[in-house]
Amino acid sequence: MSAEATNPVSAAEAAITDTGVRRRGRARLDLRRIGRAALLGATAGPAPRDRLPDAIGHVAEAHRAHHPDADLSVLRRAYVLAESSHRGQFRKSGEPYITHPLAVTLILAELGAETTTLTASLLHDTVEDTEVTLDQVRREFGDEVAYLVDGVTKVEKIDYGAAAEPETFRKMLVATGDDVRVMSIKLADRLHNMRTLGVMRPEKQARIAKVTRDVLIPLAERLGVQALKTELEDLVFAILHPEEYETTRALIAGPAGTGSTDALAAAAEQVAAVLREADIAADVLVRPRHFVSVHRARLKRGELRGCDFGRLLVLVAEDADCYAVLGELHTCFTPLISEFKDFIAAPKFNLYQSLHTAIAAPDGAVAEVLIRTHRMHKVAEAGVVALGSPHATTPDSTAPDAADPSEGFETAGDGERTDPTRPGWLARLLDWQQSAPDADTFWNSLHADLAEDREITVFRADGGTLGLPAGATCVDAAYAQHGEAAHGCLGARVNGRLAPLSTPLSDGDTVQLLLAQDTGSGPSPAWLDHARTPAARIAITAWLQAHPEAAHQPAAAPRPQLSVAADRNSRAELHADLDGGPPAPVRPAGCCTPVPPDEITGFRVRGGAVTAHRTGCPAVDTMRRLGRTAVPVRWGDAAHCRVTLVAESFGRPGLLADLTEAIATAGAEVVSATVEPPNEQRVRHTYTLELLDAAELPRLMKAMRDVPGVYDVGRTHGL
């Protein structure tokens, strides 16, 4: 990934450094000093075998801070190969090219990456830009390092032309599906290139910044690598929005921004005092906002002051301590309930866990507070980098106080830790990219997919779950669950109720997809208006292109309601027990059509007659609320009865005839039938039937349900 670098420190980076609000951490690598060290190494010969070359001293120091017992000999060998293969190559800034892989490796070392990732990072450009081959890397450093190097190596532009960039990202994402460390190296590589972008032509700076904004930053967010994401955001902000950036920089450097340091320090001391008094061991730190965060806060709140320029970070040992801290803060300060979020009980899909709250001090200053454990903080900052190798069962470090960031994640049956990002958004992305017919479709779909920054979980009727982006509809759920078989989806039940496929889904919904038995049916062009996921849109578009006659078929005109009726007067005998009054005619209520042996309740109606309702009919509760007195009613000896059934089905030719035949075969007579016009390929049939024996009703309903295309049969109920 030829880093077309420029000056070692960009204008955006210099501004961040000047304001003193950069992310705290180890001093940044001095590229000029390392460049000189690399040149000296070229003339003075290789370093002795018993120590590392001076040029990677920073990397070794950062790596040992996270992994005290790591074997650094492999890093030495990787550096020697990288330096010798890149010797004579220079970046556009004039620095020896080796400074780029060194800087990328240092970024990952500071985040806590394990030795294999750092080895691959040192070598990540050798196969692409030098005479070193992938087989050579595999022989000297093993399959894992070779896989990572291959994953971040660009495809040949001579083979792909204008599609080289999309196809390179497709290749990297597929490799990331098996090992997320591939994308970790790519993100660190892009961060260093963005830091050193200054002397490129403005139009090329803008192009690289836009790809970073639209693809790399969302990927960093989804992989949970906040430390890289926030700096990338600031660097992109400086290039694409220079005026807003300068305004924000001046605001941070001005009296309001510099004065925020004292306000945040005072708030931190107050919080620390409260926690000491409560005997809760905690570190209370001031966490300045980065440039983009300040800009967003200014747009949201208007004038910023005091604590608006940063947050307080409270770090504790155990999960339970987080809630203890929250309780103390809400007791001793005035909480802003609208700002409270619990990402510990419900973690974000990128592994992020923390409690968010805001408190008001007695002087009226409002401070946002983040509460998390040290382990949560490591994962929040480094994301998947903190997970190490997805193929290892133990952490790379054996330090006694090192928290295992994989703690709490599942382990696969073969002993390998399951990558927690794989089942969600990444799995969906890998599925739909296989169906993308060309680079443009993949590139546009990738942008659309990454633009969705929230995820919901819906439950399937069979007990499984589906992870979908926020705003997804039943169409998206159908293709997520059934793939191309979803072409025959004709409806859904959402939380037990029938719903059109256009229905948006919410977090926690239960969805049951209803598929037609006719395998020749396909999606409507209107489905594209409701599809939010690339998988659904690509599948629908492909089917419509393969069936152009369906895409241009005019909508059918509404059909009139079809009704047939027959004159039938026989009904099950009903009797009312009236105290001392004359006998009154009793008839079943049309709203619930009771039949023997239903439990029934009667009420007088106009004309002196009595209507009998099923006991559970909503009309019974309504009558009682109106003060109507119930009349005891009972069934007579006759077994025949009349009942109204509703059959819900998918529309298909011959359905009415098949239903009528099933009813006749079951020994029932049709008194009346109504077929409503189709609605989204679903048809509702209402039959009033005469049965010679009420005991045959369950068998009749089963026979109707067995008719192909019918998915529900029930008795009418309600008012």
Side-chain angles (χ1 to χ4, degrees):
M1 64 188 54
S2 300
E4 299 178 285
T6 62
N7 58 309
V9 181
S10 67
E13 181 189 350
I16 295 172
T17 304
D18 290 343
T19 59
V21 296
R22 274 191 46 219
R23 176 177 58 85
R24 298 187 318 176
R26 201 175 303 276
R28 182 161 295 162
L29 189 66
D30 184 341
L31 296 182
R32 294 190 181 277
R33 186 183 66 79
I34 296 302
R36 287 194 297 272
L39 290 174
L40 289 174
T43 59
R49 290 184 176 275
D50 59 347
R51 67 182 182 87
L52 290 166
D54 291 339
I56 55 172
H58 284 73
V59 173
E61 180 187 354
H63 189 39
R64 279 281 170 86
H66 292 278
H67 306 285
D69 297 327
D71 179 9
L72 300 181
S73 62
V74 66
L75 291 181
R76 178 192 181 281
R77 292 191 292 114
Y79 170 76
V80 170
L81 177 60
E83 191 280 326
S84 61
S85 60
H86 286 298
R87 190 174 300 166
Q89 297 178 348
F90 294 87
R91 308 191 83 212
K92 286 191 175 181
S93 60
E95 299 292 337
Y97 195 88
I98 189 62
T99 59
H100 171 65
L102 277 171
V104 172
T105 305
L106 179 63
I107 291 170
L108 292 169
E110 288 182 325
L111 290 174
E114 35 65 62
T115 307
T116 301
T117 303
L118 301 186
T119 304
S121 177
L122 283 169
L123 300 170
H124 78 272
D125 276 343
T126 54
V127 174
E128 181 179 322
D129 294 336
T130 75
E131 298 299 319
V132 174
T133 66
L134 195 62
D135 286 339
Q136 181 181 349
V137 173
R138 182 177 292 108
R139 285 195 306 271
E140 295 191 29
F141 299 98
D143 290 338
E144 274 192 68
V145 172
Y147 183 87
L148 298 179
V149 171
D150 183 44
V152 294
T153 300
K154 291 180 182 176
V155 300
E156 292 290 343
K157 194 165 187 177
I158 193 172
D159 296 329
Y160 289 90
E165 185 173 40
E167 291 300 337
T168 294
F169 271 99
R170 191 202 294 255
K171 175 174 176 276
M172 271 188 282
L173 287 166
V174 171
T176 300
D178 290 327
D179 198 323
V180 292
R181 293 176 293 178
V182 171
M183 192 53 63
S184 300
I185 296 172
K186 174 60 182 177
L187 290 171
D189 170 81
R190 179 54 60 95
L191 175 58
H192 182 244
N193 284 339
M194 288 294 297
R195 284 175 177 175
T196 58
L197 206 60
V199 298
M200 285 189 176
R201 300 187 310 274
E203 58 271 20
K204 188 161 188 178
Q205 290 187 39
R207 184 186 68 78
I208 295 174
K210 287 177 181 177
V211 174
T212 303
R213 177 196 64 191
D214 296 339
V215 179
L216 273 304
I217 288 175
L219 284 171
E221 168 71 18
R222 293 187 177 209
L223 293 172
V225 195
Q226 294 296 318
L228 302 187
K229 178 222 173 192
T230 53
E231 189 173 349
L232 284 172
E233 281 184 329
D234 285 347
L235 295 168
V236 167
F237 185 42
I239 293 172
L240 298 183
H241 305 282
E243 294 182 0
E244 291 90 338
Y245 175 82
E246 285 301 324
T247 300
T248 305
R249 189 186 68 82
L251 182 64
I252 294 174
T258 54
S260 67
T261 304
D262 293 336
L264 287 166
E269 181 53 40
Q270 291 178 356
V271 169
V274 166
L275 299 182
R276 281 196 300 269
E277 187 175 345
D279 199 23
I280 299 176
D283 296 328
V284 182
L285 310 174
V286 173
R287 190 175 178 83
R289 291 181 183 271
H290 63 292
F291 275 54
V292 172
S293 181
V294 171
H295 174 67
R296 290 170 179 162
R298 184 173 64 87
L299 294 179
K300 179 181 178 181
R301 304 174 188 176
E303 182 181 357
L304 300 182
R305 56 183 181 177
C307 296
D308 291 337
F309 287 86
R311 301 181 178 93
L312 301 185
L313 175 63
V314 180
L315 298 178
V316 294
E318 304 292 340
D319 291 12
D321 295 336
C322 295
Y323 293 97
V325 170
L326 181 71
E328 290 297 325
L329 296 185
H330 283 194
T331 300
C332 300
F333 300 93
T334 302
L336 277 65
I337 301 302
S338 61
E339 298 295 325
F340 172 69
K341 298 181 180 68
D342 187 346
F343 294 118
I344 294 179
K348 290 185 177 182
F349 65 91
N350 62 359
L351 313 180
Y352 178 85
Q353 288 184 287
S354 209
L355 294 179
H356 290 204
T357 190
I359 56 175
D363 60 0
V366 175
E368 295 184 32
V369 185
L370 310 178
I371 309 167
R372 59 180 72 141
T373 66
H374 292 277
R375 181 186 65 83
M376 292 175 191
H377 182 59
K378 182 176 182 180
V379 175
E381 288 291 289
V384 295
V385 179
L387 298 180
S389 170
H391 310 298
T393 56
T394 59
D396 191 45
S397 173
T398 58
D401 58 345
D404 180 6
S406 67
E407 181 183 342
F409 299 133
E410 296 180 358
T411 300
D414 57 2
E416 295 183 354
R417 187 179 64 237
T418 302
D419 175 5
T421 66
R422 185 63 172 84
W425 65 270
L426 184 55
R428 293 197 307 272
L429 189 155
L430 294 175
D431 288 341
W432 68 252
Q433 68 83 23
Q434 294 178 338
S435 304
D438 52 61
D440 286 341
T441 300
F442 166 76
W443 199 233
N444 294 331
S445 299
L446 179 64
H447 282 219
D449 195 2
L450 294 177
E452 302 289 345
D453 59 354
R454 288 198 310 113
E455 186 171 88
I456 62 172
T457 299
V458 298
F459 297 92
R460 294 168 17 183
D462 60 6
T465 61
L466 294 173
L468 297 169
T473 66
C474 293
V475 171
D476 301 304
Y479 283 94
Q481 181 173 349
H482 297 292
E484 291 189 357
H487 292 331
C489 189
L490 295 176
R493 290 184 181 274
V494 178
N495 300 325
R497 291 178 170 271
L498 281 173
L501 290 173
S502 58
T503 303
L505 297 171
S506 300
D507 200 32
D509 281 348
T510 298
V511 61
Q512 176 187 3
L513 287 314
L514 307 172
L515 301 182
Q517 297 184 4
D518 178 12
T519 57
S521 59
S524 162
W527 286 17
L528 287 173
D529 296 333
H530 312 307
R532 298 291 179 268
T533 58
R537 296 188 65 83
I538 291 173
I540 295 167
T541 301
W543 192 93
L544 293 175
Q545 290 175 345
H547 302 80
E549 69 284 354
H552 298 94
Q553 185 174 2
R559 290 186 290 178
Q561 181 167 296
L562 172 64
S563 300
V564 296
D567 184 14
R568 299 285 188 273
N569 294 317
S570 58
R571 297 182 181 179
E573 294 183 5
L574 284 164
H575 303 281
D577 297 325
L578 304 176
D579 294 335
V586 184
R587 60 173 182 265
C591 57
C592 57
T593 59
V595 297
D598 291 341
E599 294 184 7
I600 52 178
T601 301
F603 293 93
R604 284 188 179 275
V605 295
R606 291 180 181 177
V610 175
T611 57
H613 297 262
R614 279 190 276 169
T615 301
C617 177
V620 173
D621 293 334
T622 302
M623 293 285 193
R624 286 174 172 157
R625 283 199 303 270
L626 295 174
R628 305 283 290 277
T629 303
V631 175
V633 290
R634 55 184 171 81
W635 296 107
D637 295 333
H640 61 274
C641 67
R642 181 177 293 182
V643 64
T644 301
L645 300 178
V646 176
E648 297 184 77
S649 63
F650 306 125
R652 66 170 179 83
L655 177 62
L656 180 61
D658 291 346
L659 267 172
T660 305
E661 180 181 358
I663 291 170
T665 302
E669 295 187 32
V670 179
V671 176
S672 66
T674 301
V675 182
E676 299 177 8
N679 177 21
E680 295 195 359
Q681 304 184 45
R682 299 198 308 273
V683 183
R684 182 184 176 94
H685 305 251
T686 304
Y687 296 95
T688 299
L689 306 173
E690 197 80 40
L691 283 77
L692 296 178
D693 187 350
E696 292 297 311
L697 179 59
R699 189 173 67 86
L700 167 64
M701 295 175 68
K702 182 180 184 304
M704 295 174 67
R705 289 192 188 99
D706 289 341
V707 173
V710 176
Y711 57 82
D712 196 14
V713 175
R715 292 166 62 182
T716 57
H717 60 278
L719 296 174

